[in-house]
Amino acid sequence: QVQSPLFSDELRRKTRAMLRNIQRLRFPGLAPYARAFSSSPAADVCILLGGENKPGVVNSLLKDVVSPNGGNVGRTRMARVGGDFAVIARVLLPRDKLDSLKSDLSSTFPEYVTGVREIKAAQPAQTTVTLNFSFVGPDSFQILEKITGALLEKNADLLNVTSESSPGSHVGYDIFDTMISCALPSGTDRLKVYEEIEDIASEMGLACTLED
């Protein structure tokens, strides 16, 4: 008698192995399906972590905090500033593990600034105009404050900001270099906004460029 491939021992073995791996969340692409069968609703949170920069911070966050609580990391942003290291990570986990996650985060990083904030349901996407500015010039007081304040008056939503201040011994002053990406309401006149921001930058001696 020939056994149907649909019920072969090999197929049963592979199916059982696949289900075990889904339950353990070892296949990131299938993780949402495994969570769909969880008895606890999912919590979508943002984890904040900042403190001394040293080896193993990210691995410890994942190994000792996120994974033990059934979490799955999504979008992340990490940066080193001076001697400190900061992490922002979006994590999806069973809601009944939320308190445990907070406790593990605090106990694992007792000397770090930590926080867990639940992410609200996403609002319907709105059409926006994205502008990417680059500023370079002499470092001075209140540069970012003045530029971001001017963008705020335009109802700009900041998407990404990076800045550096570097010694400029060859020119006699420190060099400030920043990139600002922002989204403005649909219909915004890109050129007009750029010209207004450029005027503010020029008053502080900064060269302003609108990047692609």
Side-chain angles (χ1 to χ4, degrees), residues 83-146:
D84 281 4
F85 185 75
V87 179
I88 303 176
R90 187 171 185 173
V91 175
L92 197 64
L93 75 158
R95 182 168 293 281
D96 59 9
K97 292 288 187 178
L98 187 53
D99 289 340
S100 175
L101 177 87
K102 295 177 180 179
S103 176
D104 289 346
L105 181 63
S106 297
S107 61
T108 303
F109 300 97
E111 298 181 357
Y112 283 59
V113 176
T114 62
V116 178
R117 186 183 69 84
E118 191 158 0
I119 297 174
K120 298 179 181 179
Q123 298 298 317
Q126 298 181 350
T127 303
T128 57
V129 175
T130 301
L131 295 181
N132 301 301
F133 292 98
S134 172
F135 303 90
V136 180
D139 194 5
S140 63
F141 192 55
Q142 295 181 318
I143 290 179
L144 280 179
E145 177 186 341
K146 292 178 180 179

Side-chain angles (χ1 to χ4, degrees), residues 131-133 135 144 147 151 158 160-161 178-182:
L131 295 181
N132 301 301
F133 292 98
F135 303 90
L144 280 179
I147 294 174
L151 290 171
L158 297 185
N160 191 43
V161 178
T178 186
M179 296 282 295
I180 298 178
S181 178
C182 62

Side-chain angles (χ1 to χ4, degrees), residues 5 8-22 27:
S8 67
D9 291 339
E10 180 67 12
L11 181 59
R12 289 192 182 93
R13 184 185 66 79
K14 290 182 177 180
T15 301
R16 286 194 296 268
M18 181 183 71
L19 291 174
R20 283 196 302 271
N21 282 318
I22 290 176
F27 290 112

Side-chain angles (χ1 to χ4, degrees), residues 175-196:
I175 302 297
F176 187 78
D177 185 352
T178 186
M179 296 282 295
I180 298 178
S181 178
C182 62
L184 294 106
S186 177
T188 299
D189 187 330
R190 288 168 50 96
L191 182 58
K192 183 178 180 180
V193 171
Y194 167 69
E195 290 175 344
E196 292 180 9

